Amino acid sequence: MADLNDPIVDDPSWWRNAVVYQVYVRSFADSDGDGIGDLPGITSRLPYLRDLGVDALWITPFYTSPQRDHGYDVADYTDVDPLFGALGDADTLIETAHELDLRVIVDLVPNHTSDEHPWFKAALAAGPGSPERARFMFREGSGPDGSLPPNNWESVFGGPAWTRVEDPSTGSGQRAQWYLHLFDSTQPDLDWRNPEVGDMFEDVLRFWLDKGVDGFRVDVAHGLYKEESLRDQVVKAGERPTSGQVNTDHSMVSRELNDEPMWDQPEVHEVYRRWHDVLDSVGDDRMAVAEAWTQTPESMAAFVRPDELDQAFNFAWLLADWSAESFREVVVDTLAAVAPVGASPTWVLSNHDVVRHATRYGGGEQGLARARAATLAMLALPGSSYLYQGEELGLEQVDVAPEDRQDPSWFRTGEVGRDGCRVPIPWGGDSAPFGFGPGDAQPWIPQPDEFKGLTVEAQTGVKGSTLEFYRAALAARRAHALPAGDEVTLVEANGDLLELHRGDLRVLLNCGSTDVPLPAGRVLASSGPVTDVLPGDTCVWLG
Ligand code: GLC
């Protein structure tokens, strides 16, 4: 049933203003008691998302996969892993979401497959020089006997980006080859210069479009093509080669301009022009959003030119320090970057790869106050906001015990990894599994006791709870931010105060610790209590 108050549902460019909720499938809701979230679990919780007030959900990969990188290692792009259900469950999820006026974005992983993908198995069996190997990046090693990797590239998950295979053909005098994996060794990179690869992904896009999905989140969209020479990365004196994407502990770092022959090659844009046509051929309301860790706002904007993808995650907002000046700079740069190509900006504070923002901002009461304030400021901005499951409950990064860690980067580097933001959602009850699954079935990462006060059940209807704050903020966004147009004016910087105006809406974010007088006006939303002053670490919308 279309909601007449909803300006987005009937808009073919719905994504331009959408709030998209990221579902990390393993950790959202478990319907069958195996401790792992699944598609029927998501379907059963769709009414919750509708009531929260989001417009769409993005679901992380649920395809057939050995789960070495929790689904980002795909063995069959057009089937559902039995862990998560069956294809019919995907159909039911999409249909139910649409009945509730929620759009569905699925994840597409085109940079690499799983090492259990039939193509990679065939490549290993076929040996050097075969057409099967030509779908991946197999190369001879360097050094006199080929026993060193072909170049100095590092995996994003740590260690060399190359693994040498046990080659059946080495008995015949040929040397064993190496294959490239910019992520885990179980995630071999495809060779996008081989036309078979592009054709295969066009089929995958069409398969899911036929199933009714509304869009795609394109994993590692800046990958795909590598500089053809596969030359060494030029590294600054005294530094090690770096993948340039995330820190080894998977907290994000600001990116300096690096030499990156493995990322963001000009040829990749041809792929997105082709996909644009595929999406268009199905309907003008289908979209794609890029996960592209590019080095500058301009190179990010290249992915969202009118004939390419529709949006790109804007990680600058997530990387910004807690300061009015940083937020201000990101808003100005982002709007300036997307304006020339006519794309809508995006904003995100948390996802399944980074430390949750309440923890990044210091944790505890202050971290949560800042997280809520940054969220409210974000929701005022034109464009789309991407939320990550559990942030609406004020969840923090969990300190997962070493024996419970499962992130492949933990196994490659011994660094903590990303498990702490992937702990299953607490829905209700007083003890684990907090309603995540039926009965006492314990989730795949243990939940901490502190989840007790943070469950959906414990926060629903409770004034001042983070969940009720998100509901109110999303309702206020529909009522006051969306109708206010897309023009943003940043008021001259004033110490710790970020002030921006969007039409009649005035947004004040106090990043300092001292109260500032609240200007006259009606309070439309606030991230915490306000009186005639705006306390530190608080955001308010005035009408
Ligand atoms: C993206 C995903 C991340 C995954 C990686 C490899 O960065 O967000 O979770 O590990 O790609 O597919």
Side-chain angles (χ1 to χ4, degrees):
M1 274 278 274
D3 177 352
L4 292 178
N5 294 324
D6 189 335
I8 286 175
V9 170
D10 297 324
D11 177 0
S13 305
W14 56 274
W15 64 83
R16 293 183 74 91
N17 295 296
V19 175
V20 182
Y21 182 100
Q22 179 190 354
V23 171
Y24 191 69
V25 58
R26 294 178 75 86
S27 302
F28 190 62
D30 170 20
S31 74
D32 58 6
D34 64 357
I36 297 178
D38 46 43
L39 298 186
I42 300 173
T43 305
S44 73
R45 297 292 185 181
L46 289 173
Y48 166 78
L49 296 183
R50 178 62 189 165
D51 293 347
L52 182 62
V54 302
D55 305 298
L57 60 156
W58 147 35
I59 310 172
T60 58
F62 48 79
Y63 319 111
T64 314
S65 159
Q67 301 291 314
R68 298 297 289 268
D69 188 19
H70 302 326
Y72 285 96
D73 48 325
V74 181
D76 183 346
Y77 289 87
T78 55
D79 205 352
V80 171
D81 195 284
L83 258 187
F84 303 131
L87 269 178
D89 296 316
D91 293 328
T92 308
L93 194 167
I94 296 164
E95 271 167 36
T96 314
H98 288 167
E99 281 164 17
L100 294 169
D101 290 336
L102 291 165
R103 308 266 180 169
V104 179
I105 298 173
V106 295
D107 222 307
L108 188 72
V109 189
N111 181 67
H112 44 264
T113 67
S114 155
D115 61 349
E116 291 190 20
H117 190 284
W119 273 11
F120 193 71
K121 290 199 210 164
L124 289 184
S130 60
E132 287 84 356
R133 288 224 169 163
R135 295 169 177 146
F136 295 90
M137 307 288 293
F138 281 91
R139 293 293 183 278
E140 297 289 308
S142 59
D145 55 357
S147 63
L148 296 172
N151 67 23
N152 70 348
W153 297 0
E154 288 271 296
S155 151
V156 173
F157 293 160
W162 296 90
T163 290
R164 196 171 196 184
V165 292
E166 299 273 331
D167 236 323
S169 50
T170 43
S172 60
Q174 275 180 302
R175 286 177 181 168
Q177 289 191 310
W178 297 71
Y179 66 91
L180 177 71
H181 51 87
L182 291 175
F183 293 87
D184 191 54
S185 57
T186 61
Q187 294 166 296
D189 279 55
L190 287 158
D191 187 350
W192 272 84
R193 295 178 194 278
N194 181 336
E196 274 187 81
V197 173
D199 292 347
M200 190 267 263
F201 277 95
E202 180 167 336
D203 291 345
V204 173
L205 282 176
R206 290 193 188 280
F207 178 88
W208 289 105
L209 288 167
D210 284 351
K211 292 238 163 258
V213 304
D214 302 282
F216 297 91
R217 176 262 187 192
V218 183
D219 188 63
V220 195
H222 58 309
L224 281 56
Y225 280 84
K226 287 75 187 163
E227 201 175 297
E228 200 162 12
S229 64
L230 297 185
R231 65 170 174 84
D232 274 358
Q233 179 180 30
V234 178
V235 182
K236 292 183 195 121
E239 288 185 12
R240 287 170 51 76
T242 158
S243 62
Q245 184 165 0
V246 278
N247 239 350
T248 40
D249 68 354
H250 288 277
S251 56
M252 296 287 169
V253 285
S254 273
R255 300 185 50 165
E256 289 171 33
L257 284 188
N258 286 327
D259 176 49
E260 295 190 336
M262 66 291 278
W263 303 123
D264 201 6
Q265 299 300 306
E267 296 93 326
V268 79
H269 296 287
E270 200 43 57
V271 176
Y272 301 132
R273 284 190 270 273
R274 178 171 178 187
W275 291 6
H276 184 97
D277 291 344
V278 173
L279 265 63
D280 251 15
S281 70
V282 177
D284 59 359
D285 58 349
R286 310 301 165 106
M287 59 82 80
V289 53
E291 183 217 23
W293 291 92
T294 62
Q295 299 212 55
T296 62
E298 295 71 33
S299 51
M300 188 256 280
F303 285 79
V304 293
R305 286 177 285 196
D307 59 347
E308 297 198 29
L309 303 177
D310 300 288
Q311 292 189 322
F313 291 136
N314 170 21
F315 293 115
W317 182 251
L318 172 157
L319 293 167
D321 301 331
W322 178 256
S323 84
E325 196 190 332
S326 303
F327 286 127
R328 188 188 160 83
E329 196 179 295
V330 174
V331 172
V332 171
D333 290 354
T334 303
L335 298 178
V338 295
V341 290
S344 59
T346 67
W347 313 96
V348 57
L349 285 163
S350 280
N351 66 33
H352 66 295
D353 291 329
V354 301
V355 172
R356 283 187 177 277
H357 63 287
T359 305
R360 286 203 315 272
Y361 294 143
E365 269 182 38
Q366 186 181 52
L368 183 58
R370 290 180 171 183
R372 288 168 53 148
T375 301
L376 189 61
M378 169 174 91
L379 291 173
L381 293 165
S384 305
S385 285
Y386 284 78
L387 309 180
Y388 176 50
Q389 65 179 39
E391 67 173 77
E392 80 279 18
L393 303 176
L395 298 190
E396 283 207 41
Q397 193 77 359
V398 174
D399 192 6
V400 177
E403 62 275 20
D404 295 322
R405 292 181 193 151
Q406 309 212 18
D407 185 342
S409 73
W410 156 250
F411 297 113
R412 285 181 70 85
T413 63
E415 305 278 347
V416 172
R418 302 164 292 179
D419 299 299
C421 61
R422 299 174 174 183
V423 179
I425 294 297
W427 292 96
D430 289 338
S431 57
F434 295 110
F436 172 65
D440 291 335
Q442 292 302 311
W444 67 287
I445 305 180
Q447 297 157 311
D449 292 341
E450 300 82 74
F451 273 13
K452 184 172 168 187
L454 298 172
T455 64
V456 171
E457 185 183 50
Q459 296 194 46
T460 299
V462 175
K463 200 163 172 270
S465 72
T466 301
L467 179 56
E468 292 303 339
F469 156 69
Y470 266 75
R471 287 187 176 141
L474 290 168
R477 174 182 161 91
R478 278 170 200 266
H480 306 293
L482 298 187
D486 283 351
E487 279 300 308
V488 170
T489 316
L490 280 139
V491 176
E492 208 39 57
N494 174 13
D496 291 324
L497 192 67
L498 174 80
E499 180 171 354
L500 60 91
H501 297 173
R502 179 176 176 185
D504 293 337
L505 178 67
R506 284 172 296 150
V507 179
L508 283 82
L509 171 65
N510 183 358
C511 294
S513 51
T514 46
D515 298 350
V516 297
L518 198 64
R522 188 160 68 98
V523 174
L524 303 173
S526 75
S527 64
V530 292
T531 50
D532 52 349
V533 294
L534 176 65
D537 300 329
T538 307
C539 178
V540 69
W541 291 6
L542 298 175

